[in-house]
Amino acid sequence: MPYLEQAGEFRGEIVTYAAEEKESGAVAIKIEVLVHEIFESGKYHDWSDHNLIATGRVWVVGRGGKVNKRNAESLMQIAGWDGTFKSIADGSWEPDKVGITVKAEEYPAGSGTMYYKIDWINPFDRNPAGSSGIDEKKSSELDTRFGSQLRG
């Protein structure tokens, strides 16, 4: 399958994963996500016919052996990882579907060669456009009550 060559917000499923340890002591969970949807024009659109793979590393342990709690928790809370390297090594982790933020990175710097990698794992049902949680009527009411104070 071809690799994703576009930055943006996507949804899909983790189809392969592996742990890798660097000489520095850092440990990453390398993941590949089969992209099912792209977020454009304020909503998700089906992209499953493209069969594109997005790749990335989630650094769960930093240099020197310090646990990166934020990254580890994102895999556990969003993708259903149990927090054990055993479940990665033996393939028993069954990841939940995820949303992903993909960013472009020029490597090596100054080369003009762009790579696209997963920058962050998001909940599958996250709306990248955001949601105010209030309707237009409520927003008008809040503006009337607090608008002049907020604008000072």
Side-chain angles (χ1 to χ4, degrees), residues 61-100:
V61 179
R63 293 182 180 144
K66 184 176 179 183
V67 171
N68 185 332
K69 285 186 149 265
R70 183 174 181 225
N71 287 356
E73 287 173 353
S74 77
L75 278 178
M76 290 186 283
Q77 294 171 2
I78 296 169
W81 180 44
D82 65 3
T84 68
F85 293 104
K86 182 181 185 306
S87 67
I88 291 171
D90 68 16
S92 62
W93 174 31
E94 295 180 9
D96 296 333
K97 290 183 178 182
V98 294
I100 55 172

PDB file of all heavy atoms in Angstrom, residues 61-100:
ATOM      1  N   VAL A  61       8.936   6.495  25.945  1.00  0.00           N
ATOM      2  CA  VAL A  61      10.052   6.699  26.865  1.00  0.00           C
ATOM      3  C   VAL A  61      11.042   7.617  26.162  1.00  0.00           C
ATOM      4  O   VAL A  61      11.426   7.368  25.016  1.00  0.00           O
ATOM      5  CB  VAL A  61      10.745   5.365  27.247  1.00  0.00           C
ATOM      6  CG1 VAL A  61      11.920   5.612  28.172  1.00  0.00           C
ATOM      7  CG2 VAL A  61       9.746   4.393  27.881  1.00  0.00           C
ATOM      8  N   GLY A  62      11.428   8.683  26.848  1.00  0.00           N
ATOM      9  CA  GLY A  62      12.362   9.633  26.266  1.00  0.00           C
ATOM     10  C   GLY A  62      13.811   9.230  26.505  1.00  0.00           C
ATOM     11  O   GLY A  62      14.103   8.217  27.145  1.00  0.00           O
ATOM     12  N   ARG A  63      14.711  10.057  25.985  1.00  0.00           N
ATOM     13  CA  ARG A  63      16.142   9.825  26.203  1.00  0.00           C
ATOM     14  C   ARG A  63      16.421   9.737  27.698  1.00  0.00           C
ATOM     15  O   ARG A  63      15.860  10.489  28.481  1.00  0.00           O
ATOM     16  CB  ARG A  63      16.961  10.948  25.597  1.00  0.00           C
ATOM     17  CG  ARG A  63      16.876  10.962  24.107  1.00  0.00           C
ATOM     18  CD  ARG A  63      17.740  12.073  23.533  1.00  0.00           C
ATOM     19  NE  ARG A  63      17.610  12.045  22.090  1.00  0.00           N
ATOM     20  CZ  ARG A  63      17.599  13.101  21.326  1.00  0.00           C
ATOM     21  NH1 ARG A  63      17.736  14.300  21.860  1.00  0.00           N
ATOM     22  NH2 ARG A  63      17.467  12.988  20.026  1.00  0.00           N
ATOM     23  N   GLY A  64      17.305   8.848  28.045  1.00  0.00           N
ATOM     24  CA  GLY A  64      17.658   8.708  29.452  1.00  0.00           C
ATOM     25  C   GLY A  64      16.666   7.884  30.248  1.00  0.00           C
ATOM     26  O   GLY A  64      16.802   7.735  31.455  1.00  0.00           O
ATOM     27  N   GLY A  65      15.637   7.358  29.591  1.00  0.00           N
ATOM     28  CA  GLY A  65      14.720   6.442  30.259  1.00  0.00           C
ATOM     29  C   GLY A  65      13.566   7.065  31.011  1.00  0.00           C
ATOM     30  O   GLY A  65      12.932   6.401  31.825  1.00  0.00           O
ATOM     31  N   LYS A  66      13.261   8.328  30.760  1.00  0.00           N
ATOM     32  CA  LYS A  66      12.121   8.957  31.436  1.00  0.00           C
ATOM     33  C   LYS A  66      10.842   8.712  30.643  1.00  0.00           C
ATOM     34  O   LYS A  66      10.778   8.994  29.444  1.00  0.00           O
ATOM     35  CB  LYS A  66      12.364  10.456  31.592  1.00  0.00           C
ATOM     36  CG  LYS A  66      11.258  11.132  32.371  1.00  0.00           C
ATOM     37  CD  LYS A  66      11.537  12.588  32.625  1.00  0.00           C
ATOM     38  CE  LYS A  66      10.357  13.159  33.386  1.00  0.00           C
ATOM     39  NZ  LYS A  66      10.462  14.562  33.622  1.00  0.00           N
ATOM     40  N   VAL A  67       9.819   8.186  31.326  1.00  0.00           N
ATOM     41  CA  VAL A  67       8.541   7.881  30.679  1.00  0.00           C
ATOM     42  C   VAL A  67       7.869   9.175  30.222  1.00  0.00           C
ATOM     43  O   VAL A  67       7.792  10.146  30.963  1.00  0.00           O
ATOM     44  CB  VAL A  67       7.612   7.107  31.634  1.00  0.00           C
ATOM     45  CG1 VAL A  67       6.201   6.981  31.063  1.00  0.00           C
ATOM     46  CG2 VAL A  67       8.181   5.731  31.936  1.00  0.00           C
ATOM     47  N   ASN A  68       7.387   9.172  28.979  1.00  0.00           N
ATOM     48  CA  ASN A  68       6.629  10.290  28.427  1.00  0.00           C
ATOM     49  C   ASN A  68       5.148   9.967  28.658  1.00  0.00           C
ATOM     50  O   ASN A  68       4.498   9.334  27.831  1.00  0.00           O
ATOM     51  CB  ASN A  68       6.930  10.461  26.939  1.00  0.00           C
ATOM     52  CG  ASN A  68       6.258  11.675  26.357  1.00  0.00           C
ATOM     53  OD1 ASN A  68       5.209  12.113  26.839  1.00  0.00           O
ATOM     54  ND2 ASN A  68       6.844  12.217  25.312  1.00  0.00           N
ATOM     55  N   LYS A  69       4.649  10.397  29.804  1.00  0.00           N
ATOM     56  CA  LYS A  69       3.289  10.027  30.220  1.00  0.00           C
ATOM     57  C   LYS A  69       2.224  10.462  29.224  1.00  0.00           C
ATOM     58  O   LYS A  69       1.286   9.722  28.956  1.00  0.00           O
ATOM     59  CB  LYS A  69       2.969  10.613  31.595  1.00  0.00           C
ATOM     60  CG  LYS A  69       3.639   9.887  32.726  1.00  0.00           C
ATOM     61  CD  LYS A  69       3.133  10.448  34.043  1.00  0.00           C
ATOM     62  CE  LYS A  69       3.127   9.428  35.090  1.00  0.00           C
ATOM     63  NZ  LYS A  69       2.049   8.670  35.433  1.00  0.00           N
ATOM     64  N   ARG A  70       2.364  11.661  28.698  1.00  0.00           N
ATOM     65  CA  ARG A  70       1.334  12.179  27.781  1.00  0.00           C
ATOM     66  C   ARG A  70       1.187  11.265  26.565  1.00  0.00           C
ATOM     67  O   ARG A  70       0.071  10.933  26.149  1.00  0.00           O
ATOM     68  CB  ARG A  70       1.681  13.603  27.361  1.00  0.00           C
ATOM     69  CG  ARG A  70       0.636  14.235  26.489  1.00  0.00           C
ATOM     70  CD  ARG A  70       0.958  15.697  26.226  1.00  0.00           C
ATOM     71  NE  ARG A  70      -0.074  16.280  25.396  1.00  0.00           N
ATOM     72  CZ  ARG A  70       0.174  17.056  24.355  1.00  0.00           C
ATOM     73  NH1 ARG A  70       1.406  17.367  24.022  1.00  0.00           N
ATOM     74  NH2 ARG A  70      -0.807  17.537  23.636  1.00  0.00           N
ATOM     75  N   ASN A  71       2.308  10.870  25.974  1.00  0.00           N
ATOM     76  CA  ASN A  71       2.254   9.996  24.801  1.00  0.00           C
ATOM     77  C   ASN A  71       1.751   8.602  25.163  1.00  0.00           C
ATOM     78  O   ASN A  71       0.938   8.023  24.432  1.00  0.00           O
ATOM     79  CB  ASN A  71       3.619   9.909  24.136  1.00  0.00           C
ATOM     80  CG  ASN A  71       3.990  11.167  23.391  1.00  0.00           C
ATOM     81  OD1 ASN A  71       3.205  12.103  23.293  1.00  0.00           O
ATOM     82  ND2 ASN A  71       5.191  11.207  22.871  1.00  0.00           N
ATOM     83  N   ALA A  72       2.240   8.057  26.268  1.00  0.00           N
ATOM     84  CA  ALA A  72       1.793   6.731  26.688  1.00  0.00           C
ATOM     85  C   ALA A  72       0.289   6.734  26.969  1.00  0.00           C
ATOM     86  O   ALA A  72      -0.432   5.816  26.556  1.00  0.00           O
ATOM     87  CB  ALA A  72       2.578   6.271  27.917  1.00  0.00           C
ATOM     88  N   GLU A  73      -0.165   7.763  27.653  1.00  0.00           N
ATOM     89  CA  GLU A  73      -1.592   7.851  27.965  1.00  0.00           C
ATOM     90  C   GLU A  73      -2.433   7.994  26.705  1.00  0.00           C
ATOM     91  O   GLU A  73      -3.553   7.475  26.645  1.00  0.00           O
ATOM     92  CB  GLU A  73      -1.862   9.006  28.927  1.00  0.00           C
ATOM     93  CG  GLU A  73      -1.388   8.699  30.335  1.00  0.00           C
ATOM     94  CD  GLU A  73      -1.484   9.882  31.285  1.00  0.00           C
ATOM     95  OE1 GLU A  73      -1.799  11.012  30.836  1.00  0.00           O
ATOM     96  OE2 GLU A  73      -1.219   9.671  32.485  1.00  0.00           O
ATOM     97  N   SER A  74      -1.920   8.685  25.683  1.00  0.00           N
ATOM     98  CA  SER A  74      -2.702   8.809  24.454  1.00  0.00           C
ATOM     99  C   SER A  74      -2.900   7.433  23.819  1.00  0.00           C
ATOM    100  O   SER A  74      -3.990   7.122  23.342  1.00  0.00           O
ATOM    101  CB  SER A  74      -2.067   9.789  23.467  1.00  0.00           C
ATOM    102  OG  SER A  74      -0.963   9.227  22.804  1.00  0.00           O
ATOM    103  N   LEU A  75      -1.864   6.613  23.820  1.00  0.00           N
ATOM    104  CA  LEU A  75      -2.022   5.255  23.268  1.00  0.00           C
ATOM    105  C   LEU A  75      -2.980   4.416  24.117  1.00  0.00           C
ATOM    106  O   LEU A  75      -3.773   3.643  23.585  1.00  0.00           O
ATOM    107  CB  LEU A  75      -0.674   4.545  23.185  1.00  0.00           C
ATOM    108  CG  LEU A  75       0.197   4.861  21.991  1.00  0.00           C
ATOM    109  CD1 LEU A  75       1.523   4.117  22.090  1.00  0.00           C
ATOM    110  CD2 LEU A  75      -0.489   4.527  20.684  1.00  0.00           C
ATOM    111  N   MET A  76      -2.898   4.580  25.430  1.00  0.00           N
ATOM    112  CA  MET A  76      -3.750   3.776  26.309  1.00  0.00           C
ATOM    113  C   MET A  76      -5.200   4.234  26.264  1.00  0.00           C
ATOM    114  O   MET A  76      -6.115   3.420  26.115  1.00  0.00           O
ATOM    115  CB  MET A  76      -3.199   3.800  27.737  1.00  0.00           C
ATOM    116  CG  MET A  76      -1.887   3.033  27.864  1.00  0.00           C
ATOM    117  SD  MET A  76      -1.263   2.880  29.542  1.00  0.00           S
ATOM    118  CE  MET A  76      -0.581   4.492  29.816  1.00  0.00           C
ATOM    119  N   GLN A  77      -5.424   5.539  26.383  1.00  0.00           N
ATOM    120  CA  GLN A  77      -6.789   6.050  26.464  1.00  0.00           C
ATOM    121  C   GLN A  77      -7.486   6.111  25.113  1.00  0.00           C
ATOM    122  O   GLN A  77      -8.692   5.936  25.026  1.00  0.00           O
ATOM    123  CB  GLN A  77      -6.787   7.436  27.113  1.00  0.00           C
ATOM    124  CG  GLN A  77      -6.357   7.398  28.549  1.00  0.00           C
ATOM    125  CD  GLN A  77      -6.136   8.778  29.150  1.00  0.00           C
ATOM    126  OE1 GLN A  77      -6.340   9.793  28.501  1.00  0.00           O
ATOM    127  NE2 GLN A  77      -5.710   8.810  30.397  1.00  0.00           N
ATOM    128  N   ILE A  78      -6.731   6.362  24.053  1.00  0.00           N
ATOM    129  CA  ILE A  78      -7.345   6.548  22.741  1.00  0.00           C
ATOM    130  C   ILE A  78      -7.303   5.280  21.903  1.00  0.00           C
ATOM    131  O   ILE A  78      -8.276   4.925  21.243  1.00  0.00           O
ATOM    132  CB  ILE A  78      -6.668   7.728  21.998  1.00  0.00           C
ATOM    133  CG1 ILE A  78      -6.933   9.024  22.764  1.00  0.00           C
ATOM    134  CG2 ILE A  78      -7.164   7.827  20.556  1.00  0.00           C
ATOM    135  CD1 ILE A  78      -6.105  10.202  22.291  1.00  0.00           C
ATOM    136  N   ALA A  79      -6.164   4.579  21.946  1.00  0.00           N
ATOM    137  CA  ALA A  79      -5.995   3.409  21.073  1.00  0.00           C
ATOM    138  C   ALA A  79      -6.138   2.080  21.797  1.00  0.00           C
ATOM    139  O   ALA A  79      -5.984   1.025  21.185  1.00  0.00           O
ATOM    140  CB  ALA A  79      -4.635   3.484  20.373  1.00  0.00           C
ATOM    141  N   GLY A  80      -6.411   2.103  23.099  1.00  0.00           N
ATOM    142  CA  GLY A  80      -6.684   0.869  23.823  1.00  0.00           C
ATOM    143  C   GLY A  80      -5.473   0.026  24.196  1.00  0.00           C
ATOM    144  O   GLY A  80      -5.610  -1.150  24.525  1.00  0.00           O
ATOM    145  N   TRP A  81      -4.275   0.613  24.177  1.00  0.00           N
ATOM    146  CA  TRP A  81      -3.077  -0.131  24.574  1.00  0.00           C
ATOM    147  C   TRP A  81      -3.113  -0.348  26.080  1.00  0.00           C
ATOM    148  O   TRP A  81      -3.514   0.539  26.832  1.00  0.00           O
ATOM    149  CB  TRP A  81      -1.834   0.661  24.162  1.00  0.00           C
ATOM    150  CG  TRP A  81      -0.518   0.021  24.514  1.00  0.00           C
ATOM    151  CD1 TRP A  81      -0.179  -1.295  24.363  1.00  0.00           C
ATOM    152  CD2 TRP A  81       0.631   0.663  25.058  1.00  0.00           C
ATOM    153  NE1 TRP A  81       1.116  -1.500  24.773  1.00  0.00           N
ATOM    154  CE2 TRP A  81       1.639  -0.313  25.202  1.00  0.00           C
ATOM    155  CE3 TRP A  81       0.921   1.967  25.432  1.00  0.00           C
ATOM    156  CZ2 TRP A  81       2.902  -0.025  25.716  1.00  0.00           C
ATOM    157  CZ3 TRP A  81       2.177   2.261  25.932  1.00  0.00           C
ATOM    158  CH2 TRP A  81       3.152   1.274  26.063  1.00  0.00           C
ATOM    159  N   ASP A  82      -2.682  -1.529  26.528  1.00  0.00           N
ATOM    160  CA  ASP A  82      -2.696  -1.835  27.961  1.00  0.00           C
ATOM    161  C   ASP A  82      -1.455  -1.341  28.699  1.00  0.00           C
ATOM    162  O   ASP A  82      -1.324  -1.541  29.900  1.00  0.00           O
ATOM    163  CB  ASP A  82      -2.894  -3.335  28.198  1.00  0.00           C
ATOM    164  CG  ASP A  82      -1.737  -4.191  27.691  1.00  0.00           C
ATOM    165  OD1 ASP A  82      -0.726  -3.637  27.200  1.00  0.00           O
ATOM    166  OD2 ASP A  82      -1.839  -5.429  27.787  1.00  0.00           O
ATOM    167  N   GLY A  83      -0.528  -0.715  28.001  1.00  0.00           N
ATOM    168  CA  GLY A  83       0.663  -0.166  28.634  1.00  0.00           C
ATOM    169  C   GLY A  83       1.780  -1.169  28.844  1.00  0.00           C
ATOM    170  O   GLY A  83       2.763  -0.861  29.509  1.00  0.00           O
ATOM    171  N   THR A  84       1.645  -2.367  28.259  1.00  0.00           N
ATOM    172  CA  THR A  84       2.713  -3.363  28.392  1.00  0.00           C
ATOM    173  C   THR A  84       3.403  -3.570  27.048  1.00  0.00           C
ATOM    174  O   THR A  84       2.748  -3.602  26.006  1.00  0.00           O
ATOM    175  CB  THR A  84       2.197  -4.728  28.888  1.00  0.00           C
ATOM    176  OG1 THR A  84       1.388  -5.323  27.869  1.00  0.00           O
ATOM    177  CG2 THR A  84       1.390  -4.579  30.174  1.00  0.00           C
ATOM    178  N   PHE A  85       4.720  -3.705  27.107  1.00  0.00           N
ATOM    179  CA  PHE A  85       5.468  -3.990  25.887  1.00  0.00           C
ATOM    180  C   PHE A  85       5.226  -5.427  25.439  1.00  0.00           C
ATOM    181  O   PHE A  85       5.372  -5.744  24.264  1.00  0.00           O
ATOM    182  CB  PHE A  85       6.956  -3.691  26.082  1.00  0.00           C
ATOM    183  CG  PHE A  85       7.210  -2.222  26.263  1.00  0.00           C
ATOM    184  CD1 PHE A  85       7.482  -1.698  27.517  1.00  0.00           C
ATOM    185  CD2 PHE A  85       7.140  -1.357  25.185  1.00  0.00           C
ATOM    186  CE1 PHE A  85       7.700  -0.333  27.679  1.00  0.00           C
ATOM    187  CE2 PHE A  85       7.351   0.012  25.338  1.00  0.00           C
ATOM    188  CZ  PHE A  85       7.627   0.513  26.590  1.00  0.00           C
ATOM    189  N   LYS A  86       4.820  -6.282  26.380  1.00  0.00           N
ATOM    190  CA  LYS A  86       4.506  -7.676  26.043  1.00  0.00           C
ATOM    191  C   LYS A  86       3.378  -7.746  25.024  1.00  0.00           C
ATOM    192  O   LYS A  86       3.452  -8.506  24.057  1.00  0.00           O
ATOM    193  CB  LYS A  86       4.129  -8.465  27.301  1.00  0.00           C
ATOM    194  CG  LYS A  86       3.824  -9.934  27.038  1.00  0.00           C
ATOM    195  CD  LYS A  86       3.428 -10.650  28.325  1.00  0.00           C
ATOM    196  CE  LYS A  86       3.230 -12.109  28.139  1.00  0.00           C
ATOM    197  NZ  LYS A  86       2.307 -12.528  27.114  1.00  0.00           N
ATOM    198  N   SER A  87       2.343  -6.907  25.209  1.00  0.00           N
ATOM    199  CA  SER A  87       1.206  -6.945  24.274  1.00  0.00           C
ATOM    200  C   SER A  87       1.614  -6.479  22.879  1.00  0.00           C
ATOM    201  O   SER A  87       0.987  -6.853  21.892  1.00  0.00           O
ATOM    202  CB  SER A  87       0.036  -6.114  24.800  1.00  0.00           C
ATOM    203  OG  SER A  87       0.358  -4.736  24.822  1.00  0.00           O
ATOM    204  N   ILE A  88       2.672  -5.689  22.798  1.00  0.00           N
ATOM    205  CA  ILE A  88       3.186  -5.259  21.495  1.00  0.00           C
ATOM    206  C   ILE A  88       4.052  -6.368  20.903  1.00  0.00           C
ATOM    207  O   ILE A  88       3.914  -6.728  19.737  1.00  0.00           O
ATOM    208  CB  ILE A  88       3.956  -3.935  21.621  1.00  0.00           C
ATOM    209  CG1 ILE A  88       2.950  -2.830  21.959  1.00  0.00           C
ATOM    210  CG2 ILE A  88       4.718  -3.619  20.346  1.00  0.00           C
ATOM    211  CD1 ILE A  88       3.550  -1.520  22.329  1.00  0.00           C
ATOM    212  N   ALA A  89       4.921  -6.941  21.737  1.00  0.00           N
ATOM    213  CA  ALA A  89       5.833  -7.985  21.261  1.00  0.00           C
ATOM    214  C   ALA A  89       5.087  -9.233  20.802  1.00  0.00           C
ATOM    215  O   ALA A  89       5.447  -9.836  19.783  1.00  0.00           O
ATOM    216  CB  ALA A  89       6.835  -8.349  22.353  1.00  0.00           C
ATOM    217  N   ASP A  90       4.032  -9.619  21.533  1.00  0.00           N
ATOM    218  CA  ASP A  90       3.321 -10.849  21.157  1.00  0.00           C
ATOM    219  C   ASP A  90       2.133 -10.605  20.232  1.00  0.00           C
ATOM    220  O   ASP A  90       1.448 -11.534  19.813  1.00  0.00           O
ATOM    221  CB  ASP A  90       2.897 -11.648  22.397  1.00  0.00           C
ATOM    222  CG  ASP A  90       1.824 -10.978  23.253  1.00  0.00           C
ATOM    223  OD1 ASP A  90       1.140 -10.025  22.799  1.00  0.00           O
ATOM    224  OD2 ASP A  90       1.644 -11.419  24.407  1.00  0.00           O
ATOM    225  N   GLY A  91       1.871  -9.319  19.895  1.00  0.00           N
ATOM    226  CA  GLY A  91       0.805  -8.997  18.948  1.00  0.00           C
ATOM    227  C   GLY A  91      -0.597  -9.110  19.511  1.00  0.00           C
ATOM    228  O   GLY A  91      -1.563  -9.128  18.755  1.00  0.00           O
ATOM    229  N   SER A  92      -0.726  -9.146  20.851  1.00  0.00           N
ATOM    230  CA  SER A  92      -2.065  -9.312  21.433  1.00  0.00           C
ATOM    231  C   SER A  92      -2.838  -7.996  21.566  1.00  0.00           C
ATOM    232  O   SER A  92      -4.048  -8.015  21.803  1.00  0.00           O
ATOM    233  CB  SER A  92      -1.971  -9.999  22.804  1.00  0.00           C
ATOM    234  OG  SER A  92      -1.232  -9.204  23.719  1.00  0.00           O
ATOM    235  N   TRP A  93      -2.167  -6.858  21.398  1.00  0.00           N
ATOM    236  CA  TRP A  93      -2.861  -5.568  21.444  1.00  0.00           C
ATOM    237  C   TRP A  93      -3.764  -5.474  20.227  1.00  0.00           C
ATOM    238  O   TRP A  93      -3.327  -5.658  19.090  1.00  0.00           O
ATOM    239  CB  TRP A  93      -1.845  -4.436  21.472  1.00  0.00           C
ATOM    240  CG  TRP A  93      -2.424  -3.047  21.389  1.00  0.00           C
ATOM    241  CD1 TRP A  93      -3.630  -2.616  21.862  1.00  0.00           C
ATOM    242  CD2 TRP A  93      -1.807  -1.899  20.801  1.00  0.00           C
ATOM    243  NE1 TRP A  93      -3.800  -1.271  21.602  1.00  0.00           N
ATOM    244  CE2 TRP A  93      -2.687  -0.807  20.945  1.00  0.00           C
ATOM    245  CE3 TRP A  93      -0.587  -1.680  20.152  1.00  0.00           C
ATOM    246  CZ2 TRP A  93      -2.397   0.466  20.483  1.00  0.00           C
ATOM    247  CZ3 TRP A  93      -0.293  -0.410  19.702  1.00  0.00           C
ATOM    248  CH2 TRP A  93      -1.189   0.653  19.869  1.00  0.00           C
ATOM    249  N   GLU A  94      -5.018  -5.170  20.457  1.00  0.00           N
ATOM    250  CA  GLU A  94      -5.990  -4.953  19.386  1.00  0.00           C
ATOM    251  C   GLU A  94      -6.404  -3.483  19.433  1.00  0.00           C
ATOM    252  O   GLU A  94      -7.345  -3.118  20.133  1.00  0.00           O
ATOM    253  CB  GLU A  94      -7.192  -5.870  19.550  1.00  0.00           C
ATOM    254  CG  GLU A  94      -6.832  -7.340  19.405  1.00  0.00           C
ATOM    255  CD  GLU A  94      -8.021  -8.268  19.557  1.00  0.00           C
ATOM    256  OE1 GLU A  94      -9.176  -7.781  19.600  1.00  0.00           O
ATOM    257  OE2 GLU A  94      -7.784  -9.472  19.637  1.00  0.00           O
ATOM    258  N   PRO A  95      -5.675  -2.629  18.694  1.00  0.00           N
ATOM    259  CA  PRO A  95      -5.910  -1.185  18.788  1.00  0.00           C
ATOM    260  C   PRO A  95      -7.316  -0.769  18.365  1.00  0.00           C
ATOM    261  O   PRO A  95      -7.903  -1.339  17.442  1.00  0.00           O
ATOM    262  CB  PRO A  95      -4.879  -0.589  17.823  1.00  0.00           C
ATOM    263  CG  PRO A  95      -3.873  -1.651  17.602  1.00  0.00           C
ATOM    264  CD  PRO A  95      -4.607  -2.947  17.754  1.00  0.00           C
ATOM    265  N   ASP A  96      -7.825   0.234  19.076  1.00  0.00           N
ATOM    266  CA  ASP A  96      -9.083   0.867  18.694  1.00  0.00           C
ATOM    267  C   ASP A  96      -8.837   1.763  17.487  1.00  0.00           C
ATOM    268  O   ASP A  96      -7.706   2.179  17.230  1.00  0.00           O
ATOM    269  CB  ASP A  96      -9.623   1.720  19.847  1.00  0.00           C
ATOM    270  CG  ASP A  96      -9.968   0.893  21.076  1.00  0.00           C
ATOM    271  OD1 ASP A  96     -10.281  -0.302  20.938  1.00  0.00           O
ATOM    272  OD2 ASP A  96      -9.911   1.468  22.190  1.00  0.00           O
ATOM    273  N   LYS A  97      -9.895   2.088  16.761  1.00  0.00           N
ATOM    274  CA  LYS A  97      -9.775   3.054  15.658  1.00  0.00           C
ATOM    275  C   LYS A  97      -9.384   4.404  16.244  1.00  0.00           C
ATOM    276  O   LYS A  97      -9.752   4.734  17.373  1.00  0.00           O
ATOM    277  CB  LYS A  97     -11.083   3.154  14.885  1.00  0.00           C
ATOM    278  CG  LYS A  97     -11.385   1.913  14.069  1.00  0.00           C
ATOM    279  CD  LYS A  97     -12.652   2.068  13.268  1.00  0.00           C
ATOM    280  CE  LYS A  97     -12.890   0.839  12.424  1.00  0.00           C
ATOM    281  NZ  LYS A  97     -14.097   0.972  11.597  1.00  0.00           N
ATOM    282  N   VAL A  98      -8.630   5.172  15.458  1.00  0.00           N
ATOM    283  CA  VAL A  98      -8.090   6.438  15.945  1.00  0.00           C
ATOM    284  C   VAL A  98      -8.261   7.550  14.925  1.00  0.00           C
ATOM    285  O   VAL A  98      -8.436   7.302  13.739  1.00  0.00           O
ATOM    286  CB  VAL A  98      -6.582   6.305  16.277  1.00  0.00           C
ATOM    287  CG1 VAL A  98      -6.355   5.354  17.447  1.00  0.00           C
ATOM    288  CG2 VAL A  98      -5.774   5.878  15.061  1.00  0.00           C
ATOM    289  N   GLY A  99      -8.178   8.763  15.411  1.00  0.00           N
ATOM    290  CA  GLY A  99      -7.988   9.932  14.575  1.00  0.00           C
ATOM    291  C   GLY A  99      -6.502  10.251  14.627  1.00  0.00           C
ATOM    292  O   GLY A  99      -5.835   9.949  15.621  1.00  0.00           O
ATOM    293  N   ILE A 100      -5.975  10.838  13.578  1.00  0.00           N
ATOM    294  CA  ILE A 100      -4.555  11.192  13.566  1.00  0.00           C
ATOM    295  C   ILE A 100      -4.364  12.564  12.949  1.00  0.00           C
ATOM    296  O   ILE A 100      -5.113  12.973  12.065  1.00  0.00           O
ATOM    297  CB  ILE A 100      -3.691  10.159  12.810  1.00  0.00           C
ATOM    298  CG1 ILE A 100      -4.202   9.931  11.387  1.00  0.00           C
ATOM    299  CG2 ILE A 100      -3.580   8.861  13.586  1.00  0.00           C
ATOM    300  CD1 ILE A 100      -3.301   9.062  10.509  1.00  0.00           C
TER     301      ILE A 100
END
